[in-house]
Amino acid sequence: ETVKSYAKHERETMDAVVAARNAAVSARGPAQKAEAENVLSAALGRLFALAEAYPDLKANQNFLELQQQLEDIENKIAAARRFFNSAAAEYNAKRESFPASFIADRFGFAPEDFFDLGEEKRAQLEAPPPVSFQQ
C-alpha cells in the first residue's frame, strides 16, 4: 500500500503492473504465458525505474520487500520454466521413439510446445546485469 501512496501520480505504472500480472495469471498455454510474462517483466522494469526517480520510495522498507519478493518469484518462475521444458523435451523424445510413435499418432498425442521467452528476453536474461556505483 505504501508503494502506491509514494507513486500515486505515477498511477499508470502501477495499473500496468497489476494488469500485466492478471494477464500472466490467466494466460493459457506456454506461448501465451511467455508473452504475458514478457509484458509483466517490462511493467516491472518501469516500476523499478520509478523507484530510481524517487529516493524515498527506493529506501522504503515495503518497496525493498516488494523487490525481494518479485526477485524470488522470478527465480521460481525460471525454475518452473526449466522444469516444464525438460519435461516437454522428455515427452517429445519418448513420443517419437519406436513403438510409442505409432501409439501416440493413433491416439492423438501431439508434440508438446516449449515455453519460449523469445530472443529479446532470452538475451536479457543471459546478458550480465548492469552495475552502477552511483547513488
Side-chain angles (χ1 to χ4, degrees):
E1 192 63 42
T2 303
V3 172
K4 283 186 181 180
S5 67
Y6 270 105
K8 61 184 162 189
H9 64 281
E10 299 289 350
R11 189 95 169 128
E12 288 180 19
T13 301
M14 298 301 290
D15 290 344
V17 170
V18 171
R21 181 210 169 268
N22 291 341
V25 168
S26 65
R28 300 286 177 232
Q32 191 179 24
K33 283 199 177 283
E35 178 62 30
E37 287 177 13
N38 286 341
V39 171
L40 178 58
S41 292
L44 289 173
R46 290 192 304 275
L47 177 66
F48 293 136
L50 178 67
E52 293 295 324
Y54 297 96
D56 289 343
L57 174 61
K58 187 176 179 182
N60 181 277
Q61 185 62 35
N62 289 343
F63 189 79
L64 294 173
E65 288 174 16
L66 173 65
Q67 280 185 303
Q68 182 60 42
Q69 289 173 1
L70 291 172
E71 183 179 322
D72 185 48
I73 290 168
E74 283 187 1
N75 290 337
K76 289 176 181 177
I77 289 171
R81 204 178 284 129
R82 287 189 302 273
F83 178 79
F84 177 87
N85 284 342
S86 175
E90 186 177 329
Y91 166 81
N92 288 341
K94 287 184 179 182
R95 185 191 166 285
E96 296 296 322
S97 66
F98 181 81
S101 59
F102 293 116
I103 297 168
D105 289 338
R106 181 170 297 218
F107 290 102
F109 289 96
E112 187 63 50
D113 291 333
F114 290 100
F115 197 108
D116 185 21
L117 292 176
E119 289 298 320
E120 184 178 324
K121 184 66 175 173
R122 190 176 305 113
Q124 284 178 337
L125 293 174
E126 292 173 357
V131 177
S132 173
F133 295 103
Q134 299 176 5
Q135 286 203 5

